Amino acid sequence: MVQSSGVILPRLTVIIVNFNSGDRLLRCLECLERQSFRDFETIVVDNGSADHSIARAAEKFPAVQFDGAGENLGFAAANNRAARRAAGDWLVLLNPDAYAEPTWLAELVAASTRYPWADAFGSTQIDARDPTKIDGAGDVMHISGIAYRGHFGWPIESLPPEGECFSPCAAAAMYRKSAFEKLGGFDERFFCYGEDVDLGFRLRLAGARSVQLRKARVLHEGSGLTGRHSDFSIYHGHRNRIWLSGKNLPGLIFWGMLPLRVFADASLLIRFALVRRGVRPYLKALRDGYLRLAELRTERAARSRGVEASSVDIARMLTWSPVKLARRQADLRSIHEIGS
């Protein structure tokens, strides 16, 4: 903890999961060294990289804690591993292909003071390849079961004002450690993709809230390591999309909107078929996603016996507009409108 102008500020733990990130990891760590807020530790978990990126980073950044997992645990499990040894009051997750502006951590800390009722904060992600474009302004959960990064590809001038988001994107986000631990962290079955929306959904079901920040900014390559349209990304992204709804949607919404989600599945299959790419991993994702659906619904029924946000509260934070989905539009709620 540090004290500034009579205000006690929290200590942070920055967590980076590395897998063959090459020079990206060096650039990411260099940006952290230039942060104006200094009371933080950095933990890098390496998921069995073979590109010598960890050796090079360890030589250049001796103060960073490096943890070799020895194998590819996936994004979810590797972050959970680091969270267990974190000393910070807040966990700050950062992708190795995300490059923070010097005031990034300071903006996150200021927001935790400004919104003491919030348990998670999202950052403005700017396209690293084209800084005139937005890479993400808060994760959106559509009623069709599709989650997406809000305002992806929109011009930077259209960045929405600060507001409450459904979930932060974990490429650059901050979570209250106690809330993260209470929920058991990320669901490691997801491996990667969608685990951040799943955590955001579970936070919301538990009555917690998330705020998307305008001034906490990073440049983000976005799937710079796995490839946005690779078979790996298609499979994990769409399998986890099915699991996301199965695990978290209240019964009335889950069953009532099932035809819409099936329609979305079919529409996506047609799109993959038309571009003649990704059909096989997509079909495998549908198979594996739906095979586990009964198990996930059973888990959800057991979990919902505790205190949980109402279906009405969840419905208010879901996005219903097909236009917003088609445009990948952010859907931030006014903080003053919702109240604190």
Side-chain angles (χ1 to χ4, degrees), residues 242-256:
I242 296 167
W243 287 358
L244 182 60
S245 296
K247 273 193 66 180
N248 297 298
L249 281 176
L252 184 63
I253 301 175
F254 178 82
W255 295 112

Side-chain angles (χ1 to χ4, degrees), residues 32 47 52 188 226-227 246:
L32 284 179
N47 272 343
H52 307 294
E188 298 182 6
T226 58

Side-chain angles (χ1 to χ4, degrees), residues 81-131:
R81 178 184 174 110
R84 287 191 289 271
R85 61 183 286 184
D89 305 295
W90 291 85
L91 305 176
V92 183
L93 275 52
L94 184 65
N95 277 10
D97 62 350
Y99 315 118
E101 291 190 353
T103 58
W104 178 57
L105 289 179
E107 291 290 345
L108 289 171
V109 169
S112 71
T113 302
R114 193 160 65 250
Y115 306 116
W117 42 263
D119 286 300
F121 296 91
S123 306
T124 292
Q125 296 170 206
I126 301 168
D127 191 333
R129 299 179 183 88
D130 181 1

Side-chain angles (χ1 to χ4, degrees), residues 219-232:
L219 294 174
H220 184 223
E221 292 188 26
S223 299
L225 306 179
T226 58
R228 184 167 287 138
H229 303 296
S230 67
D231 287 358
F232 178 91

Side-chain angles (χ1 to χ4, degrees), residues 13-80:
T13 296
V14 178
I15 299 174
I16 301 169
V17 176
N18 180 69
F19 180 66
N20 294 325
S21 302
D23 291 339
R24 294 181 177 96
L25 179 61
L26 293 176
R27 182 181 175 187
C28 177
L29 291 172
E30 286 167 358
C31 290
L32 284 179
E33 281 220 324
R34 294 194 289 268
Q35 293 298 300
S36 58
F37 180 84
R38 301 304 307 164
D39 191 26
F40 68 95
E41 62 174 354
T42 304
I43 301 175
V44 177
V45 180
D46 184 60
N47 272 343
S49 297
D51 66 348
H52 307 294
S53 54
I54 285 295
R56 293 164 59 200
E59 181 179 358
K60 190 170 182 179
F61 302 98
V64 172
Q65 302 174 50
F66 292 93
D67 179 9
E71 60 179 319
N72 191 354
L73 302 178
F75 181 85
N79 274 295
N80 288 348

Side-chain angles (χ1 to χ4, degrees), residues 160-297:
E162 202 162 86
E164 187 168 358
C165 62
F166 186 85
S167 170
C169 174
M174 184 170 80
Y175 301 90
R176 194 185 302 274
K177 185 183 179 185
S178 58
F180 186 91
E181 290 177 332
K182 185 176 180 180
L183 293 176
F186 290 121
D187 186 335
E188 298 182 6
R189 294 173 296 189
F190 278 57
F191 194 76
C192 65
Y193 295 122
E195 69 286 293
D196 51 354
V197 186
D198 171 65
L199 177 62
F201 210 143
R202 286 184 286 126
L203 281 168
R204 187 156 295 285
L205 287 167
R209 295 161 64 185
S210 304
V211 175
Q212 177 65 22
L213 304 175
R214 183 183 174 93
K215 293 182 180 179
R217 298 188 176 196
V218 302
L219 294 174
H220 184 223
E221 292 188 26
S223 299
L225 306 179
T226 58
R228 184 167 287 138
H229 303 296
S230 67
D231 287 358
F232 178 91
S233 298
I234 292 170
Y235 171 74
H236 286 88
H238 289 286
R239 181 200 64 179
N240 295 353
R241 170 176 61 82
I242 296 167
W243 287 358
L244 182 60
S245 296
K247 273 193 66 180
N248 297 298
L249 281 176
L252 184 63
I253 301 175
F254 178 82
W255 295 112
M257 295 298 162
L258 181 60
L260 181 59
R261 295 197 304 279
V262 172
F263 175 78
D265 291 338
S267 299
L268 288 165
L269 177 58
I270 292 170
R271 189 181 72 177
F272 282 120
L274 288 174
V275 299
R276 299 182 180 180
R277 183 181 63 217
V279 173
R280 184 172 295 179
Y282 180 71
L283 288 174
K284 186 173 183 289
L286 291 182
R287 182 198 68 189
D288 293 350
Y290 280 106
L291 278 176
R292 208 158 189 174
L293 206 54
E295 172 191 340
L296 296 175
R297 291 308 294 174

